[in-house]
Amino acid sequence: MVVYLLEKSRLTYQQPLERCYHAFYNLMSDFVPDLKEKCLLTDNILDYWFVSQGKLTVPSIDDKEDMMYADEAFDILGFTQDEKYDVFKNTACMMHMGNMCKDFVPVGKEEQAEVKNEDNCVKVAALMGIDCEWMITYFCKPKLKVGTEWVSKGSSCSNAASSVSGIARAIYERTFRIVVEKCNETLC
């Protein structure tokens, strides 16, 4: 299998009649009993901005059945339980990152981004296994190299949200590539 053009922009924006990637709706289907708890997900797809902008259901698609096939396919392809749950957690992480984009508020006369509620940040950091404060600083006050010095520069809310969206799209692509590589490794 080869990855050609992966439409990463569809992760962060959909037209009203377009649906985000099915994997997100599959996670919400309740086929895997403990999945939502492990992925820090609620029961309502509308709680996740990235995946609820467009169409939420398609009459010809059964998300629970699709999740059954996906879960079975991971097993057949030789994914360990940890590898399988890592893919699921990365997928859920992107859902939480969409909500992070809405958590930035302008502060001070320069209207630099700060996070008004860290709940989504805490979930993303937990799923990714990274430090929450470091992540927030990375998005709100990124470091730039000026000459030989590194300086922190405050981001606007728009820039911080764009950075979160960009990282979410990169996680999507890398997770997709990991799955494709595992498929190729197993099938060859």
Side-chain angles (χ1 to χ4, degrees):
M1 293 174 61
V2 178
V3 177
Y4 283 101
L5 296 174
L6 184 60
E7 188 186 3
K8 296 178 296 246
S9 63
R10 190 165 142 207
L11 167 67
T12 55
Y13 176 77
Q14 304 93 49
Q15 294 289 333
L17 295 178
E18 183 179 41
R19 193 177 197 217
C20 195
Y21 292 106
H22 300 297
F24 300 107
Y25 309 100
N26 295 166
L27 282 184
M28 299 295 287
S29 73
D30 291 324
F31 177 76
V32 179
D34 63 343
L35 189 57
K36 285 183 189 171
E37 183 181 339
K38 285 185 177 180
C39 293
L40 310 174
L41 295 168
T42 67
D43 289 327
N44 189 350
I45 193 74
L46 294 172
D47 290 341
Y48 304 99
W49 182 66
F50 273 172
V51 299
S52 63
Q53 299 171 60
K55 201 170 185 142
L56 300 179
T57 59
V58 176
S60 62
I61 297 173
D62 180 340
D63 293 316
K64 196 168 193 170
E65 181 182 54
D66 283 357
M67 185 61 177
M68 177 190 70
Y69 290 133
D71 190 55
E72 185 180 319
F74 279 123
D75 294 336
I76 291 168
L77 290 168
F79 280 77
T80 65
Q81 281 298 107
D82 285 343
E83 289 171 331
K84 185 165 54 168
Y85 273 96
D86 285 346
V87 170
F88 295 152
K89 288 194 297 190
N90 283 356
T91 305
C93 178
M94 292 173 255
M95 294 168 74
H96 294 296
M97 290 180 89
N99 294 350
M100 271 181 64
C101 291
K102 301 292 190 182
D103 289 339
F104 296 110
V105 293
V107 175
K109 64 181 177 182
E110 293 184 22
E111 297 192 342
Q112 293 181 357
E114 285 189 11
V115 175
K116 67 179 170 190
N117 180 338
E118 292 186 6
D119 290 352
N120 292 306
C121 297
V122 168
K123 290 174 186 175
V124 169
L127 290 169
M128 290 284 106
I130 60 176
D131 180 72
C132 185
E133 289 306 314
W134 173 85
M135 179 185 66
I136 291 170
T137 300
Y138 174 86
F139 290 122
C140 293
K141 293 179 176 46
K143 289 186 178 182
L144 305 168
K145 192 167 187 178
V146 179
T148 58
E149 301 285 321
W150 285 95
V151 296
S152 293
K153 180 187 180 307
S155 285
S156 67
C157 293
S158 175
N159 286 348
S162 291
S163 294
V164 171
S165 295
I167 295 296
R169 288 188 297 269
I171 291 169
Y172 182 79
E173 178 179 21
R174 284 164 179 80
T175 302
F176 189 84
R177 288 183 185 278
I178 288 167
V179 171
V180 169
E181 286 171 15
K182 184 72 172 185
C183 290
N184 287 337
E185 181 183 299
T186 304
L187 298 173
C188 292

